[in-house]
Amino acid sequence: MSVEEGRANHGRLLGAIRGPQDVKRMTAEQLDILAAEIRDFLIAKVSRTGGHVGPNLGVVELTLAMHRVFDSPRDRLLFDTGHQAYVHKIVTGRQDGFDKLRQRGGLSGYPSQAESEHDLIENSHASTALSYADGLAKAYALRGEPRSVVAMVGDGALTGGMCWEALNNIATAGNPLVIVVNDNGRSYSPTIGGLADHLSSLRLNPGYEKMLDTVKDALGSTPLVGRPMYEVLHAVKKGIKDAVAPQAMFEDLGIKYVGPVDGHDIAAVESALRAAKHFGGPVIVHAVTRKGYGYRPAEEDEADCLHGPGSAFDVETGKLLAAPSVKWTHVFADELVKIADERPDVVGVTAAMAGPTGIATLARKHPHRVYDVGIAEQHAATSAAGLAMGGLHPVVAVYATFLNRAFDQVLLDVAMHKLPVTFVLDRAGITGPDGPSHYGIWDMSVFGVVPGLRIAAPRDSASLREELREAVAVDDGPTIVRFPTGTVAADLPAVRRVGTVDVLAESARTDVLLVAVGSFAGLGMEVAARVAEQGYGVTVVDPRWVRPVPAELVELAAGHRLVVTVEDGVRVGGVGDAIAQAMRDADVRVPLRDLGVPADWHPHGTRAQILADLGLTAQDVARDVTGWISRLDAQPVEDVQPDKAAAKN
Ligand SMILES: Cc1ncc(C[n+]2csc(CCOP(=O)(O)OP(=O)(O)O)c2C)c(N)n1
């Protein structure tokens, strides 16, 4: 088909793609048309569902070239983080699924083994692909299987320590393996740090200057680290010939370096990949791309090149269609600035997510008091320990799911040293469309075992502000403040406070003590109203600080016939478990039922859908509570059998 014919039949090439072999057959002209069709498709589809539009627009040609040079699924194509695998999904015959991208029952926003034999890594946490690749290459070498292993990794993900641990091993092992570095100069905002320094000393290659300008334009003026990163990454400051050439760095290590290549030139990428494929050892193909390429609103979006609009957006402007609302993140960001205005020792730390966590607000007000450490949560925690040892009070703002990485650092580097570091966990609990690896459901369990660590779970904006202040006032150990995603709940004032526990509702009868953790406070109120209709009295409390278990909570429990806990986290080792243990320790023999998230992999959907699936709606909980308390009426406490809810976990 000629270019003209292709234009006349826009979308036809894409429509005919059923698998990688269809891309392999195409001519250079057809590939260019296909790339344009894929971009139009991505913009049209993702604008309706939300998703990672910017990253995928930047890897269209890289992905096509990978599928032409290698034979997936025999050859293994790995996508670090996996947010940039939409083009791969299209090439591997999943176009039809894009109407329900990230929606219940629809395509996952990340690679998914259940969806396709072409997908391998499902984990959406960054910087893992090179380690998987190292292991796969070793396995194929040992088993004598002639398969190629190819890992695409972004310059942002390369700031993660795991990548460097992997490179060290890949170099030593010497197995054939291709690492495609997708260098767009950005994580969400411009990538920070010096490690990528050695990727390029572009001045050695004058023909490359033009492309460099393109990339440079893509680097917005960031208050944090954009310019230094750019200079370091591309060795601009270092002068010309004496700059450390990436070839030298990687080849000294034992990894062949090819590049830099224009990542939007399919032929150039293909030829680099073919050379890499036949090299017989580990090779880095360094491709320079532009995030959001071909879509003006993404290319011009200074904040994050439309990294991942969470919901539908206007194609013309790239702006979200949903009416703006006050998010938990905004309340945190606003209060943090107020606290920092009052306390010069308070500083912010982000792991490449200044915008999404709200730390950017602090950076705008106090640019010298914010540290963006790159996608390096472990380093963030221990660096924060250092900041605290140095007399500061760091507030480390990360998504709940990502702090899991830094368990040992929080445990030993921070808590064992009794250091005042506050971790603010955004997107805690069930988050929704990003699926299981993005749920923030482990923090209360995992970090609940850390001695001396206090965990707060605010229920609304007033309590978030208050608990954040309480957290940064703690000077003898770490604190966590965790809150969910989305619009902040309407303020729910307490009737009274007992110790640190807020009583939200009470009645003349004290049948049930309902412990509603964090954002489940509203649900607790509704449950109380429904259960009251059945003639039972429910006291609803918000513990505010869930670890350690407040002593008052145990005292309150002793005054009721049944305790029910509801939390937005895994039940195993969760708040309910901790309260049950505290009650046992205090010899309080009131039965306790703990409702929460079963320790399992829950597929993506909206938060509301998933909570409904788990029986965590007011209606379900009210039914459970009524059932339990009426059975207590009917028989002695010891005889109440565990039921389906107890078996859920
Ligand atoms: C451990 C971890 N921390 C934070 C994130 C959030 N995150 C998702 S994509 C991304 C930026 C990735 O940048 P890069 O690898 O360069 O890919 P690009 O989006 O630029 O293509 C970040 C920080 C994550 N996925 N994993």
Side-chain angles (χ1 to χ4, degrees):
M1 188 190 297
S2 69
V3 173
E4 286 69 31
E5 283 167 332
R7 286 208 184 99
N9 295 308
H10 196 70
R12 289 273 297 275
L13 287 178
L14 174 60
I17 303 279
R18 290 286 161 258
Q21 66 286 355
D22 297 321
V23 174
K24 283 188 169 67
R25 279 197 285 268
M26 288 187 175
T27 64
E29 287 81 11
Q30 288 175 324
L31 285 172
D32 286 341
I33 297 167
L34 177 66
E37 290 181 2
I38 289 177
R39 287 202 164 83
D40 289 349
F41 177 88
L42 283 173
I43 295 162
K45 298 293 179 187
V46 183
S47 66
R48 287 183 211 133
T49 57
H52 287 108
V53 65
N56 282 287
L57 291 171
V59 298
V60 175
E61 291 81 7
L62 279 188
T63 311
L64 292 177
M66 279 164 65
H67 273 291
R68 279 168 63 79
V69 174
F70 297 96
D71 284 319
S72 177
R74 186 176 57 81
D75 293 338
R76 295 308 207 173
L77 306 190
L78 311 177
F79 294 87
D80 195 284
T81 312
H83 65 308
Q84 78 293 53
Y86 295 3
V87 186
H88 164 75
K89 292 194 183 215
I90 292 171
V91 172
T92 52
R94 283 173 271 174
Q95 294 164 46
D96 294 348
F98 275 81
D99 286 327
K100 287 184 76 187
L101 177 69
R102 304 167 77 244
Q103 292 170 15
R104 195 186 207 192
L107 273 192
S108 161
Y110 297 92
S112 154
Q113 294 187 3
E115 272 174 25
S116 169
E117 57 180 352
H118 294 276
D119 290 6
L120 217 51
I121 309 176
E122 303 199 348
N123 179 7
S124 63
H125 288 204
S127 318
T128 63
L130 304 192
S131 299
Y132 281 113
D134 175 51
L136 280 167
K138 283 174 175 162
Y140 296 146
L142 200 62
R143 291 162 56 96
E145 291 183 32
R147 294 165 164 223
S148 295
V149 178
V150 188
M152 181 194 283
V153 59
D155 58 297
L158 270 184
T159 60
M162 271 186 83
C163 281
W164 295 85
E165 295 167 29
L167 282 173
N168 202 26
N169 284 275
I170 287 167
T172 313
N175 290 313
L177 184 162
V178 181
I179 299 167
V180 180
V181 174
N182 169 32
D183 178 7
N184 57 23
R186 314 210 37 134
S187 292
Y188 274 69
S189 48
T191 304
I192 63 90
L195 290 176
D197 181 4
H198 302 290
L199 286 179
S200 179
S201 87
L202 295 177
R203 292 207 174 186
L204 292 174
N205 183 348
Y208 218 69
E209 287 282 80
K210 235 175 94 217
M211 190 191 326
L212 188 60
D213 284 342
T214 316
V215 175
K216 190 160 42 176
D217 290 346
L219 298 178
S221 56
T222 161
L224 304 175
V225 281
R227 187 53 43 188
M229 170 57 199
Y230 171 79
E231 285 166 350
V232 172
L233 181 66
H234 296 283
V236 171
K237 262 189 182 165
K238 290 194 167 180
I240 307 174
K241 298 275 186 234
D242 59 343
V244 179
Q247 293 90 322
M249 141 90 183
F250 288 112
E251 287 180 5
D252 280 355
L253 198 66
I255 302 180
K256 179 84 180 156
Y257 172 94
V258 179
V261 294
D262 178 348
H264 298 302
D265 178 339
I266 301 182
V269 178
E270 247 187 84
S271 103
L273 289 179
R274 283 190 206 285
K277 179 179 179 176
H278 298 298
F279 177 67
V283 184
I284 284 182
V285 173
H286 179 197
V288 175
T289 62
R290 186 162 180 156
K291 199 159 178 170
Y293 188 65
Y295 179 40
R296 186 179 289 268
E299 288 190 30
E300 292 181 352
D301 177 29
E302 279 199 16
D304 63 11
C305 296
L306 285 189
H307 177 90
S311 55
F313 58 88
D314 180 75
V315 172
E316 290 301 310
T317 62
K319 302 262 177 273
L320 292 183
L321 295 176
S325 62
V326 179
K327 307 274 194 291
W328 291 91
T329 314
H330 300 144
V331 176
F332 155 66
D334 179 66
E335 194 64 17
L336 181 63
V337 169
K338 287 185 187 145
I339 294 170
D341 286 344
E342 296 159 21
R343 281 191 38 188
D345 62 319
V346 169
V347 296
V349 177
T350 171
M353 300 186 74
T357 59
I359 281 287
T361 311
L362 178 63
R364 278 191 287 276
K365 187 82 187 287
H366 299 288
H368 303 299
R369 287 164 59 186
V370 166
Y371 307 97
D372 182 349
V373 299
I375 308 180
E377 288 80 6
Q378 294 169 296
H379 169 77
T382 304
S383 168
L387 289 166
M389 281 173 170
L392 300 175
H393 189 116
V395 175
V396 183
V398 292
Y399 284 8
T401 182
F402 300 136
L403 192 66
N404 293 343
R405 282 231 162 146
F407 174 74
D408 185 57
Q409 286 75 7
V410 172
L411 178 73
L412 299 181
D413 302 339
V414 181
M416 196 170 82
H417 292 80
K418 298 188 170 52
L419 291 167
V421 177
T422 296
F423 295 93
V424 171
L425 305 189
D426 202 323
R427 272 72 160 177
I430 293 288
T431 46
D434 279 322
S437 61
H438 258 59
Y439 295 155
I441 53 177
W442 296 282
D443 57 304
M444 291 191 291
S445 253
V446 166
F447 294 98
V449 305
V450 174
L453 173 72
R454 300 160 172 91
I455 303 179
R459 65 177 179 272
D460 56 17
S461 92
S463 59
L464 169 52
R465 291 177 192 278
E466 185 182 40
E467 287 160 37
L468 179 65
R469 282 184 176 272
E470 289 170 9
V472 293
V474 171
D475 62 4
D476 62 351
T479 45
I480 283 179
V481 179
R482 54 106 65 193
F483 48 80
T485 184
T487 304
V488 70
D491 279 350
L492 182 53
V495 182
R496 61 190 174 101
R497 184 166 286 179
V498 185
T500 59
V501 176
D502 273 352
V503 177
L504 303 180
E506 49 194 345
S507 80
R509 289 182 62 120
T510 53
D511 296 301
V512 182
L513 178 70
L514 181 60
V515 182
V517 174
S519 62
F520 275 145
L523 175 143
M525 297 296 282
E526 214 182 312
V527 169
R530 285 171 182 262
V531 175
E533 287 169 14
Q534 308 304 317
Y536 296 109
V538 180
T539 308
V540 183
V541 294
D542 166 13
R544 298 173 68 253
W545 288 88
V546 294
R547 295 295 178 108
V549 173
E552 300 79 14
L553 209 52
V554 178
E555 285 159 22
L556 282 164
H560 291 76
R561 301 166 61 211
L562 172 72
V563 178
V564 178
T565 62
V566 196
E567 64 193 292
D568 199 359
V570 288
R571 296 175 63 225
V572 182
V575 176
D577 250 3
I579 295 173
Q581 189 178 60
M583 286 167 58
R584 280 196 301 275
D585 290 351
D587 232 353
V588 172
R589 295 174 191 208
V590 177
L592 178 144
R593 293 307 181 105
D594 53 319
L595 295 173
V597 181
D600 205 342
W601 309 115
H602 307 285
H604 62 275
T606 65
R607 177 174 155 84
Q609 285 166 340
I610 299 162
L611 291 179
D613 289 347
L614 300 177
L616 293 173
T617 65
Q619 198 178 10
D620 288 327
V621 175
R623 196 185 314 112
D624 285 343
V625 172
T626 309
W628 292 327
I629 191 72
S630 54
R631 281 158 64 196
L632 278 184
D633 275 345
Q635 58 193 304
V637 169
E638 308 80 69
D639 292 348
V640 177
Q641 295 301 312
D643 61 9
K644 68 170 173 50
K648 266 181 204 165
N649 119 24

